[in-house]
Amino acid sequence: MELLREKIEKEGQVLSDTVLKVDSFLNHQIDPMLMKEIGEEFANRFSDQVITKVLTIESSGIAPATFLGLTIGAPVVFARKRKSLTLTDNLYTSSVHSFTKNETNEISVSKKFLSADDNVVIIDDFLANGEALKGLMDIVNQAGATVVGAGIVIEKGFQLGGQLMRDQGLRIESLANIKSLANGKVEFFD
Ligand code: G4P
């Protein structure tokens, strides 16, 4: 996706060989025009599937997931990382360890919003080690729903998550796939 690549090249800051800061359009400030195109691109990529629900994880997955939901007319559910005051029981839960942040989050989704009839696309902003994807897949499996694939805004292809999940048979559609962040430079896979 050309517009996304340009945005990464122009505004992305390489913080280290493994971390890319994109807070001017994805992780803090959100560019709604870009998000709209991202939602439409995900919809195109999954146009061969009937999707009944879009599933993501708070917080940065919510914007791209919502624009996909808007484009295809499907509801969007986000897994919560923090305990909610009103969301107390009847939950699917899973554990997500972040190697990047060195913390583990218990994630949860109300059983009200996912069922065995659902065909789910999982959306997230970054794919690094695949831990968030694994946790979300676990939740979909607990619900007995079907995962039709995962849509990722930025995959860090030099980390192992994408390979690992594809090897398990998951269809992954990445809108930008980064080959390297070495020497302060973003290099993409073609
Ligand atoms: P994984 O799910 O693929 O295993 O990823 P990892 O544990 O490495 O990532 C944990 C958090 O760090 C996620 O955000 C993920 O989006 C973010 N992250 C990973 N790599 C990068 C990167 O290169 N740049 C940026 N900006 N973020 C990265 P999170 O904790 O869920 O935060 P948020 O969604 O609330 O923003």
Side-chain angles (χ1 to χ4, degrees):
M1 198 187 156
E2 203 47 43
L3 183 65
L4 175 63
R5 272 168 83 134
E6 280 170 21
K7 198 85 175 167
I8 293 170
E9 277 164 351
K10 239 166 101 187
E11 297 183 26
Q13 289 171 263
V14 178
L15 293 191
S16 70
D17 284 359
T18 56
V19 179
L20 175 70
K21 185 168 174 167
V22 284
D23 65 349
S24 68
F25 59 93
L26 184 60
N27 290 140
H28 193 15
Q29 174 169 265
I30 289 167
D31 178 339
M33 277 70 75
L34 175 68
M35 267 333 131
K36 183 168 174 282
E37 292 215 6
I38 284 174
E40 288 166 357
E41 179 68 20
F42 280 139
N44 270 335
R45 302 241 188 151
F46 287 107
S47 59
D48 56 332
Q49 301 288 330
V50 175
I51 299 164
T52 63
K53 216 142 259 195
V54 180
L55 178 67
T56 188
I57 182 165
E58 66 175 342
S59 53
S60 302
I62 295 175
T66 302
F67 278 89
L68 169 60
L70 181 67
T71 308
I72 62 174
V76 179
V77 179
F78 65 91
R80 287 182 178 268
K81 287 181 189 156
R82 286 163 286 274
K83 292 261 178 296
S84 154
L85 197 65
T86 54
L87 194 66
T88 49
D89 50 13
N90 284 324
L91 301 174
Y92 303 115
T93 60
S94 193
S95 203
V96 173
H97 179 72
S98 163
F99 292 99
T100 308
K101 294 186 174 172
N102 193 25
E103 62 183 25
T104 300
N105 284 297
E106 192 73 14
I107 64 166
S108 55
V109 169
S110 169
K111 290 185 178 175
K112 265 195 303 195
F113 301 127
L114 266 189
S115 73
D117 301 333
D118 279 317
N119 278 330
V120 181
V121 162
I122 297 173
I123 297 292
D124 209 357
D125 57 337
F126 270 96
L127 172 58
N129 296 298
E131 290 295 309
L133 262 189
K134 270 192 244 165
L136 291 169
M137 295 269 293
D138 181 24
I139 282 183
V140 177
N141 290 334
Q142 288 176 44
T146 305
V147 180
V148 304
I152 301 295
V153 181
I154 303 175
E155 177 173 351
K156 292 191 292 183
F158 57 89
Q159 292 184 266
L160 293 178
Q163 176 84 49
L164 208 89
M165 301 306 287
R166 286 184 181 98
D167 287 349
Q168 290 180 21
L170 180 68
R171 172 179 174 185
I172 301 180
E173 298 286 345
S174 298
L175 305 189
N177 195 344
I178 293 175
K179 191 174 183 181
S180 161
L181 292 174
N183 307 314
K185 264 192 58 193
V186 183
E187 205 187 320
F188 294 98
F189 284 106
D190 287 329

